[in-house]
Amino acid sequence: MSGFHEISTSLGRFQVAFDAEGALIYLGFAGREYRESLRVKVARQATALDPDAGVLARLKEQLEAYAAGTRRTFDIPLRLHGTPFEQRVWAALQRIPFGETRSYGQLAAELGGSALSRAVGRANGANPISILVPCHRLVGANGSLTGYAGGLALKERLLRLEGAIKD
């Protein structure tokens, strides 16, 4: 798909896309075919354009610094395209501090009621910008690790890196 690029980091291979203003609109795990529908949705909602090489390098550098434990936040401009509810969920994810987790139910309660837990799960799964919009910080009600587009081993690695899971 035009406008999507691949970068390799110590966290794995990612597919990325940027819009005309240089904002990141997609950061997904390469080789995950079930995410293809999300890529198509992103491409349809916002034309993915070839980014400046410096933007790609900066994103890769920040992901590597995060993986090395020397970066807690990112300053890559983001543009998230989704429904109003998805936007609310993604904004709430970005408010979960580094090193902390929330359950789907906790996030649902924050957004209006525990009955929204499944909707929060769907919106979390539709997150087009992994890691920078930290969907890995959502866990099951009992603290168990639940589905993650990058796989549960990577989710555990990210949460250990952030100190949310202790040995």
Side-chain angles (χ1 to χ4, degrees), residues 65-82:
Y66 169 80
T70 60
R71 176 175 279 278
R72 291 179 168 219
T73 61
F74 299 89
D75 63 9
I76 303 293
L78 310 177
R79 187 156 296 114
L80 293 156
H81 296 273

Side-chain angles (χ1 to χ4, degrees), residues 10-94:
S10 59
L11 296 171
R13 289 181 10 255
F14 294 94
Q15 292 175 323
V16 299
F18 295 83
D19 69 11
E21 287 80 41
L24 184 65
I25 59 173
Y26 182 81
L27 173 68
F29 301 96
R32 302 288 180 158
E33 290 80 22
Y34 62 89
R35 300 286 283 178
E36 184 63 22
S37 61
L38 181 56
R39 283 183 37 163
V40 169
K41 178 182 171 186
V42 167
R44 195 174 48 241
Q45 290 177 337
T47 304
L49 299 175
D50 289 338
D52 176 288
V55 173
L56 276 174
R58 196 166 118 230
L59 175 60
K60 183 175 178 172
E61 176 184 297
Q62 289 189 20
L63 286 168
E64 290 294 2
Y66 169 80
T70 60
R71 176 175 279 278
R72 291 179 168 219
T73 61
F74 299 89
D75 63 9
I76 303 293
L78 310 177
R79 187 156 296 114
L80 293 156
H81 296 273
T83 68
F85 184 75
E86 287 172 337
Q87 295 282 344
R88 289 179 56 215
V89 170
W90 300 335
L93 290 172
Q94 292 176 79

